[in-house]
């Protein structure tokens, strides 16, 4: 039987629409689920929404909606976003699902029968925003919540309690025995010192509102509903069928509960205590990530600086965004979102260091060997490089298993830099001139093999991009090829590489549209470099490296949000017209351009300008009078070469 992996995200409160923090948790969890699947584990990936409690009841009331109608609406938004993000969840649970409620009642009964639940009276402070109880001594500024700073409410009501104190020693023992049960280590130490201060029994029912799961009928106590955190935490087992068919309980215990640092206490203290009471094994890892800020500031609706993940993914590419989030911050630490950092990662790591490598082997193999790449001489000429790459990749999976996604990606990029360096060092084009074709081809094959291994390892982070690369290099993304190429370090069999469309077009400047309810992601353009005044002499060969072609403009339109740009469809004699974004709006109207001819730089690296792909540049002359396009004197066929 194959090994099993169970990965979860927190279930999200339905009082707010999804933001970058939710996307971060979900993307890490999705990466882990994809990793386990790739490694052959039978995997169950759970996400969903947390829909009960006072906070949701009040949020619905403010909008004149029933809690259920309100929960349906917001839960739908989460689900739609995860579907748009291709999140590979196996189940989307809602705490208003009937199966879940039955499972929660069953768990309550088991804990009660075990003698772990008793009736008493709760008197203390409650933070509705955090759905958390606090004692006098825990409050800050007299009545404020120590976690979110909002005012707490004084609560005095009859309540059932869970004997949390009873499990204090067992919990400390768990932290002690299982080194990686809470990740990262620093956060685990915080949990341990909290528990060592002494645990008080936990109020687990409320009577002052009723938007929650009722107690089991056998309790005969209609006025209580379950405390929302008891209800919510139990989702991790009710989703597997706990209390009913138990069809997926074989996935328990969870491999990873992924959570934000603000909710670690619930997952690393209350949840294992509930599980001990239920007689179930404890999760293997509870892993807590840090928080995202925006340009150094905490995100909040009142500041209007909340980052909308859909908007970012639409403008910059979903997989680029995934890469950025996982690479930018060490797991457990807070991270800052800025467009500049994102653009730098795309242009530098992805474009220059990764995408270029693929282009270079496509270009070189095209010139030297009709796109055929053969690994037979790699070991002979590049034993050292292979050894270095083996050493870099040896510990890489452990980093991922401990959620150190930034280190994982750093190591993959170290391997890519060995590939880039080997091209610079061995200069295959010189080897070709010297008649050493086998040596030139060995460099190309070395790079291909490094690229193949990195592609497989990167698959959980960038599933679509890596699949495109694997197709171009004629290998499968599969558990078997991972075993063969990454674990077994085998070489690729001889293959013919395919050309691929540009994977990471360079981003020059971006402006994200201002959404209705959230702050715009501010335009941050890079200053244009001063153009060099001095003209350098080039050879005729250098001149012919530029492919200039006659193009016919088939369509032209303005680019919304820009007074400089026009979006053009230009026929340059290829199967499909090219899209070119040109800064000529001040000088031409779209209508006067249609059906005219222009000169196009056709082999320019594609770029994204204001979110639009631009696949070329028009030649134009500019002086004090203004700008005019350079055009052929007489009509020529589209695609006719200039030079
Ligand atoms: N409903 C509870 C979880 C119950 S799990 C049994 C909850 N929901 S939440 O919607 O408020 O938060 C969900 C997750 O989003 C948490 O892990 C939280 O840390 C994360 N984030 C919320 N804002 C965030 C940032 N600004 N940055 C990163 N993550 C943050 O808590």
């Amino acid at each position: 039987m194959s090994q099993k992996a169970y990965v979860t995200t927190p279930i999200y409160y339905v009082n707010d629409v999804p933001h970058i923090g939710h996307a971060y948790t979900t993307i890490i969890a999705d990466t882990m689920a994809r990793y386990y699947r790739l490694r052959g584990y039978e995997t169950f990936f759970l996400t969903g929404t947390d829909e009960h409690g006072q906070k949701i009841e009040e949020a619905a009331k403010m909008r004149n909606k029933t809690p259920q109608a309100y929960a349906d609406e917001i839960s739908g938004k989460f689900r739609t976003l995860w579907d748009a993000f291709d999140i590979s969840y196996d189940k989307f649970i809602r705490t208003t699902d009937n199966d879940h409620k039955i499972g929660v009642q069953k768990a309550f009964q088991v804990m009660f029968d075990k003698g772990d639940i008793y009736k008493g009276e709760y008197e203390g402070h409650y933070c509705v925003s955090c759905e958390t109880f606090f004692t006098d001594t825990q409050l800050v500024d007299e009545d404020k919540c120590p976690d979110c700073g909002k005012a707490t409410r004084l609560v005095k009501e009859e309540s059932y309690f869970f004997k949390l104190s009873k499990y204090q020693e067992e919990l400390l023992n768990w932290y002690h025995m299982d080194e990686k049960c809470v990740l990262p280590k620093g956060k685990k130490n915080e949990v341990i010192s909290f528990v060592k201060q002494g645990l008080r029994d936990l109020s687990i029912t409320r009577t002052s509102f009723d938007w929650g799961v009722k107690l089991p009928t056998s309790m005969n106590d209609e006025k209580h509903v379950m405390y929302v955190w008891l209800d919510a935490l139990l989702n991790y087992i009710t989703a597997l069928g706990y209390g009913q068919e138990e069809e997926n309980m074989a996935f328990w215990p969870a491999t990873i509960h992924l959570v934000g640092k603000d909710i670690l206490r619930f997952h690393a203290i209350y949840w294992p205590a509930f599980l001990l009471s239920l007689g179930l094994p404890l999760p293997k890892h509870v892993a807590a990530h840090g928080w995202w800020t925006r340009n150094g500031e905490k995100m909040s609706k009142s500041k209007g600086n909340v980052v909308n993940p859909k908007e970012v993914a639409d403008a910059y590419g979903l997989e680029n965004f995934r890469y950025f989030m996982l690479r930018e911050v060490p797991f457990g630490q807070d991270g800052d979102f800025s467009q500049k950092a994102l653009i730098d990662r795309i242009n530098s790591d992805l474009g220059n260091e990764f995408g270029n490598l693929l282009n270079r082997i496509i270009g070189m193999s095209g010139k030297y060997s009709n796109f055929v790449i053969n690994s037979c001489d790699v070991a002979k000429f590049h034993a050292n490089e292979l050894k270095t790459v083996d050493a870099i990749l040896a510990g890489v999976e452990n980093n991922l298993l401990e959620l150190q996604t930034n280190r994982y990606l750093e190591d993959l990029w170290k391997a890519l830099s060995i590939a880039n360096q080997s091209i610079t060092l061995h200069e295959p084009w010189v080897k070709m001139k010297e008649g050493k074709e086998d040596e030139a081809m060995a460099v190309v094959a070395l790079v291909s093999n490094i690229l193949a291994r990195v592609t497989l390892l990167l698959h959980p982070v960038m599933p679509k991009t890596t699949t495109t690369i694997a197709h171009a290099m004629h290998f499968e993304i599969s558990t078997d090829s991972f075993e063969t190429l990454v674990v077994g370090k085998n070489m690729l069999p001889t293959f013919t590489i395919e050309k691929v469309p540009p994977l990471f077009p360079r981003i020059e400047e971006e402006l994200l549209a201002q959404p209705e309810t959230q702050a715009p992601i501010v335009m941050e353009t890079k200053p244009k470099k001063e153009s060099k005044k001095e003209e350098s002499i080039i050879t005729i060969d250098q001149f012919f490296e530029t492919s200039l072609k006659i193009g016919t403009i088939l369509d032209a339109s303005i680019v919304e949000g820009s007074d400089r740009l026009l979006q053009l469809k230009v026929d340059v004699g290829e199967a499909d017209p090219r899209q070119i974004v040109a800064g000529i709006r001040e000088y031409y109207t779209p209508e006067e351009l249609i059906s005219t001819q222009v000169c196009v730089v056709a082999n320019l690296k594609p770029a994204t300008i204001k979110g639009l792909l631009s696949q070329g540049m028009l030649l134009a002359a500019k002086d004090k009078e203004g700008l005019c396009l350079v055009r052929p004197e007489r009509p020529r066929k589209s695609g006719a070469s200039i030079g």
Side-chain angles (χ1 to χ4, degrees):
M1 234 178 37
S2 66
Q3 281 183 286
K4 290 190 163 50
Y6 181 28
V7 180
T8 69
T9 73
I11 45 172
Y12 302 108
Y13 282 132
V14 290
N15 68 321
D16 198 2
V17 290
H19 61 67
I20 191 170
H22 305 127
Y24 180 53
T25 322
T26 309
I27 286 169
I28 306 178
D30 182 63
T31 299
M32 295 312 294
R34 287 176 187 272
Y35 168 76
Y36 280 114
R37 286 190 202 108
L38 182 61
R39 297 299 273 122
Y41 286 65
E42 196 185 336
T43 303
F44 195 92
F45 173 20
L46 175 71
T47 189
T49 43
D50 186 355
E51 306 183 7
H52 289 128
Q54 202 166 352
K55 172 155 77 172
I56 310 300
E57 191 182 74
E58 290 181 6
K61 207 180 262 166
M62 264 170 51
R63 291 164 178 82
N64 272 331
K65 292 191 173 156
T66 64
Q68 186 64 59
Y70 179 57
D72 288 348
E73 180 189 323
I74 308 288
S75 176
K77 290 198 174 161
F78 275 96
R79 198 171 178 144
T80 306
L81 180 66
W82 301 152
D83 289 341
F85 274 15
D86 223 357
I87 298 298
S88 61
Y89 61 83
D90 295 290
K91 184 174 168 90
F92 186 101
I93 192 169
R94 300 184 54 185
T95 52
T96 49
D97 291 341
N98 207 32
D99 290 353
H100 169 75
K101 292 189 219 165
I102 294 171
V104 170
Q105 288 171 334
K106 161 85 187 195
F108 190 98
Q109 189 71 58
V110 172
M111 288 151 89
F112 183 82
D113 292 346
K114 183 147 182 202
D116 284 347
I117 292 177
Y118 62 92
K119 202 170 183 175
E121 184 169 77
Y122 179 81
E123 186 171 359
H125 305 268
Y126 193 74
C127 172
V128 176
S129 182
C130 299
E131 298 280 16
T132 308
F133 299 97
F134 293 105
T135 58
D136 282 344
T137 54
Q138 289 173 311
L139 299 182
V140 291
D141 294 342
E142 284 184 19
D143 68 336
K144 304 282 182 314
C145 167
D147 290 342
C148 72
K150 293 188 184 143
T152 55
R153 298 179 192 177
L154 195 61
V155 175
K156 187 175 178 191
E157 58 190 46
E158 181 185 280
S159 175
Y160 286 86
F161 286 83
F162 171 72
K163 288 185 182 166
L164 186 61
S165 53
K166 172 178 161 188
Y167 291 100
Q168 179 163 330
E169 287 314 309
E170 261 181 280
L171 288 173
L172 287 170
N173 193 37
W174 180 50
Y175 309 138
H176 180 67
M177 298 302 287
D178 191 343
E179 198 198 332
K180 294 180 182 165
C181 60
V182 180
L183 293 169
K185 253 203 189 115
K187 294 271 182 283
K188 182 180 171 187
N189 293 337
E190 286 171 26
V191 170
I192 294 175
S193 63
F194 185 90
V195 175
K196 279 190 174 159
Q197 285 167 26
L199 294 175
R200 302 160 66 106
D201 290 348
L202 185 70
S203 165
I204 51 162
T205 66
R206 304 288 312 273
T207 53
S208 50
F209 65 95
D210 44 45
W211 181 236
V213 181
K214 299 262 176 244
L215 304 199
T217 41
S218 61
M219 301 293 302
N220 221 353
D221 214 341
E222 278 285 298
K223 61 179 188 295
H224 289 260
V225 292
M226 308 259 188
Y227 171 42
V228 65
W229 270 102
L230 173 64
D231 162 5
L233 287 162
L234 285 164
N235 94 89
Y236 300 129
I237 52 174
T238 61
L240 302 178
Y242 177 84
Q244 295 201 76
E245 297 292 313
E246 312 232 326
E247 67 280 6
N248 280 319
M249 277 304 280
F251 282 99
W252 190 258
T255 316
I256 308 169
H257 287 313
L258 209 93
V259 300
K261 63 179 184 180
D262 53 316
I263 56 171
L264 180 60
R265 199 187 324 151
F266 299 93
H267 286 80
I269 302 174
Y270 301 171
W271 178 227
F274 295 155
L275 287 166
L276 288 168
S277 173
L278 293 171
L280 288 171
L282 302 186
K284 290 186 198 141
H285 307 292
V286 176
H289 64 70
W291 269 46
W292 282 89
T293 51
R294 167 89 178 273
N295 296 327
E297 284 191 42
K298 199 174 170 195
M299 277 181 262
S300 75
K301 271 195 264 179
S302 54
K303 277 197 204 137
N305 65 348
V306 178
V307 176
N308 178 336
K310 179 76 170 50
E311 212 185 301
V312 179
D314 286 349
Y316 293 100
L318 172 63
E319 299 208 345
N320 295 344
F321 179 45
R322 285 172 71 107
Y323 172 80
F324 167 77
M325 296 198 104
L326 300 191
R327 173 72 189 257
E328 195 66 8
V329 260
F331 186 80
Q333 292 181 21
D334 292 347
D336 191 50
F337 179 86
S338 84
Q339 275 185 112
K340 185 174 176 327
L342 171 59
I343 292 172
D344 284 349
R345 288 276 176 212
I346 297 172
N347 288 345
S348 161
D349 299 11
L350 294 174
N352 293 347
E353 291 168 41
F354 184 40
N356 249 356
L357 207 50
L358 181 69
N359 290 339
R360 293 179 88 176
I361 58 167
I362 293 172
M364 288 192 280
S365 65
K367 273 196 196 148
Y368 310 157
S369 58
N370 202 17
F371 300 102
V372 176
I373 298 179
N374 179 329
S375 300
C376 62
D377 285 329
V378 176
K380 182 165 140 202
F381 293 114
H382 299 291
N384 279 342
E385 279 114 324
L386 285 177
K387 229 162 115 189
T388 313
V389 171
D390 288 350
I392 293 170
L393 298 183
V396 79
E397 283 180 87
N398 278 339
N399 283 336
L400 192 63
L401 291 171
E402 291 186 18
L403 286 307
Q404 299 287 353
T405 57
N406 67 315
R407 284 209 201 142
Y408 179 72
L409 292 169
E410 267 163 36
D411 283 345
L412 298 191
W413 258 252
K414 278 185 199 155
L416 292 177
S417 85
I418 301 292
N420 274 310
Q421 283 164 25
S422 73
I423 300 179
T424 316
L425 186 71
H426 301 293
E427 300 181 311
W429 50 94
V430 174
K431 300 265 188 267
M432 285 302 284
K433 277 194 190 138
E434 294 169 352
K436 295 176 184 163
E437 278 176 35
D438 52 347
E439 287 188 38
M441 285 314 303
V443 180
V444 177
L446 168 74
V447 172
S448 307
N449 278 285
I450 298 176
L451 204 53
R453 283 209 231 164
V454 170
T455 299
L456 279 159
L457 285 158
L458 191 61
H459 180 70
V461 179
M462 305 185 80
K464 288 216 167 89
T465 312
T466 49
T467 303
T468 307
I469 298 174
H471 281 163
M473 296 178 68
H474 290 278
F475 67 90
E476 292 290 312
I477 301 271
S478 66
T479 303
D480 284 349
S481 50
F482 196 103
E483 278 295 327
T484 314
L485 297 171
V486 182
V487 182
K489 305 185 187 101
N490 290 299
M491 294 281 155
L492 288 164
T494 303
F495 66 99
T496 304
I497 197 162
E498 311 280 339
K499 289 188 183 171
V500 287
L503 295 176
F504 309 107
R506 193 170 176 81
I507 296 174
E508 301 297 349
E509 60 176 52
E510 285 297 328
L511 172 64
L512 303 181
Q514 177 158 6
E516 278 163 36
T517 52
Q518 291 176 350
I521 290 192
V522 192
M523 182 156 85
E524 295 163 359
T525 50
K526 285 193 185 144
K528 266 200 175 162
K529 283 197 199 111
E530 279 290 302
S531 63
K532 265 197 183 169
K533 292 280 176 290
E534 248 173 62
E535 275 175 8
S536 53
I537 302 294
I538 58 166
T539 63
I540 188 83
D541 285 345
Q542 282 173 309
F543 173 73
F544 279 113
E545 277 178 24
T546 313
S547 163
L548 295 173
K549 289 187 176 170
I550 296 294
T552 307
I553 299 180
L554 304 178
D555 195 13
S557 56
I558 57 171
V559 173
E560 289 301 333
S562 165
D563 42 19
R564 219 172 55 77
L565 298 176
L566 290 181
Q567 180 183 356
L568 311 169
K569 287 271 179 284
V570 184
D571 178 4
V572 288
E574 297 166 338
D576 295 313
R578 299 242 192 142
Q579 172 166 287
I580 295 179
V581 180
I584 55 173
R585 182 165 168 194
E586 290 163 62
Y587 311 98
Y588 293 93
T589 61
E591 297 71 34
E592 67 183 306
L593 287 172
I594 294 174
S595 300
T596 65
Q597 288 202 307
V598 284
C599 300
V600 179
V601 182
N603 62 341
L604 196 67
K605 192 170 173 184
T608 305
I609 304 174
K610 293 234 191 301
L612 298 169
L613 183 67
S614 182
Q615 304 162 295
M617 191 177 90
L618 306 189
L619 292 190
K622 194 172 180 188
D623 61 14
K624 277 191 234 122
E625 312 285 302
L627 173 146
C628 72
L629 288 166
V630 175
R631 302 177 184 279
E633 189 198 3
R634 266 167 273 170
R636 278 289 164 267
K637 250 178 132 181
S638 300
S641 68
I642 305 172

